[in-house]
Amino acid sequence: MNQMRTILPVEDMSPGELRHAEQLRAGRLAVWRNVLLEPEYQLGEETFRLATNSTTKRIDPNLSLVQVTMRSENFGFTITLAEAFLLDCLEGISTLTSISGQTGPDAALILEQFFRTPLEEFSNLLGEYPEIVRIAPAEIATLGRDDFQFTISGDQGGGSMCFIRFDGALEDRVFERLGAYSSADEKEVEPQLEVRIGPISLPQTAIANLRAGVILDCGVQPTDTIRGLLVRSDNRYWPAHINDGEVVATAAIQPLDYSNARHSGLALITLGFGSALMGPLERLQFGEGDTIAIERYSDNAVEIYANEHQIGKGQLVVHDDNLSVSIEQVDLV
């Protein structure tokens, strides 16, 4: 069995080796804390969520920890987490009162039920499925710079800080793969996107004339291909075509930028009429030609934007055969 990799004590490293080790560690921490995980998985009736983070959070020194060692043919790693949390999660499928004292196949099979979905994701990443080979008590003192932190939380209130440590070359292999699934930008974006019709260009001076009761013509018939935007919470968007209950991206993601319109004395009107949900991994891979289902707001409601500001609300209607908005409320700042 491969031994866990250790990093030489500082006093045994040359200045160049120390600098390289610190740079490597800092780079991997940046990748790790921005890994885009699937948001949740199911075990019985409880939903669990995983999130990576940098190694800056402290763990309660009074917690009883358990270390689960897993191996496949070519690699191995250990996960350390709170024993009480694990026992709570396994309640209903196990009568165990202690995890750390169990080393037999029955205990391993029970734990694999808890770890099953993360292990499947991990095996998809590396091409091998690991099995639990050892369960033992752990101490905080054993956790060091080779460990990467993540959290597991359940929708019924429980949670645990966790630590994972990889065998030697496995860490290199993991981070080679994780680079494609790590993004600081995507980590912070909300999953809900707004679907808007537009933009419709109006003279900036015409905005003052918008009021309740005015009909705003979108310039297309309902049966036409409708141009629109799929807008993210970070003020970037995909240009899109709107077709019934879905949108198709027509170009790569780009920032919402109204500077050219302002310089030309124009306001760009967009009409939010629905939403879509997209997880971080899907967003990372979404691009021109990709399609996503949308859910329209009830009663044909729309939110009216002039450039970056929401200025009112209305309702989609057909007026003179064209798709239009009947303005119900205007709030010009």
Side-chain angles (χ1 to χ4, degrees), residues 260-277:
N260 290 338
R262 287 196 185 92
H263 292 157
S264 302
L266 297 174
L268 298 181
I269 305 298
T270 54
L271 309 168
F273 77 103
S275 63
L277 291 175

Side-chain angles (χ1 to χ4, degrees), residues 197-198 200 210-220 269-273 300-305 312-319 322-330:
I197 296 169
I200 303 164
L210 296 180
R211 61 187 184 278
V214 168
I215 301 294
L216 182 62
D217 194 326
C218 297
V220 294
I269 305 298
T270 54
L271 309 168
F273 77 103
N300 290 323
V302 296
E303 297 178 346
I304 305 169
Y305 296 85
K313 297 181 179 181
Q315 188 175 41
L316 285 175
V317 297
V318 177
H319 181 74
N322 275 358
L323 185 66
S324 304
V325 174
S326 175
I327 299 176
E328 298 175 343
Q329 174 188 330
V330 175

Side-chain angles (χ1 to χ4, degrees), residues 75-206:
F75 65 78
F77 58 94
T78 63
I79 294 177
T80 303
L81 72 166
E83 182 178 27
F85 169 71
L86 196 51
L87 287 170
D88 286 344
C89 295
L90 294 173
E91 187 178 6
I93 62 173
S94 167
T95 58
L96 293 177
T97 58
S98 171
I99 295 292
S100 60
Q102 304 292 327
T103 58
D106 290 341
L109 287 173
I110 291 170
L111 285 184
E112 281 181 357
Q113 294 184 65
F114 177 76
F115 288 112
R116 181 178 63 250
T117 299
L119 288 178
E120 287 173 352
E121 294 293 329
F122 203 65
S123 64
N124 289 337
L125 184 70
L126 299 174
E128 298 180 26
Y129 192 91
E131 296 181 350
I132 295 174
V133 296
R134 182 171 179 267
I135 306 162
E139 297 180 359
I140 293 177
T142 65
L143 302 172
R145 59 178 294 124
D146 285 350
D147 295 279
F148 293 88
Q149 287 189 13
F150 65 100
T151 56
I152 300 178
S153 57
D155 62 1
Q156 297 180 21
S160 177
M161 179 65 66
C162 306
F163 299 80
I164 187 167
R165 181 183 303 183
F166 306 101
D167 276 11
L170 175 62
E171 184 174 314
D172 297 333
R173 185 176 175 187
V174 165
F175 280 90
E176 285 175 6
R177 303 289 184 90
L178 285 182
Y181 301 94
S182 176
S183 169
D185 290 340
E186 295 299 337
K187 189 86 169 183
E188 301 303 322
V189 175
E190 296 294 330
Q192 182 162 304
L193 314 175
E194 186 172 33
V195 184
R196 300 186 193 175
I197 296 169
I200 303 164
S201 296
L202 288 181
Q204 186 69 45
T205 54

Side-chain angles (χ1 to χ4, degrees), residues 35-70:
V35 168
L36 307 175
L37 295 170
E38 292 300 322
E40 59 187 40
Y41 70 97
Q42 202 75 23
L43 176 64
E45 297 181 355
E46 188 161 9
T47 300
F48 293 92
R49 294 173 178 83
L50 281 72
T52 58
N53 48 269
S54 60
T55 54
T56 57
K57 297 184 179 181
R58 299 177 63 85
I59 192 166
D60 185 346
N62 297 316
L63 279 179
S64 176
L65 302 178
V66 61
Q67 187 177 77
V68 183
T69 301
M70 308 188 194

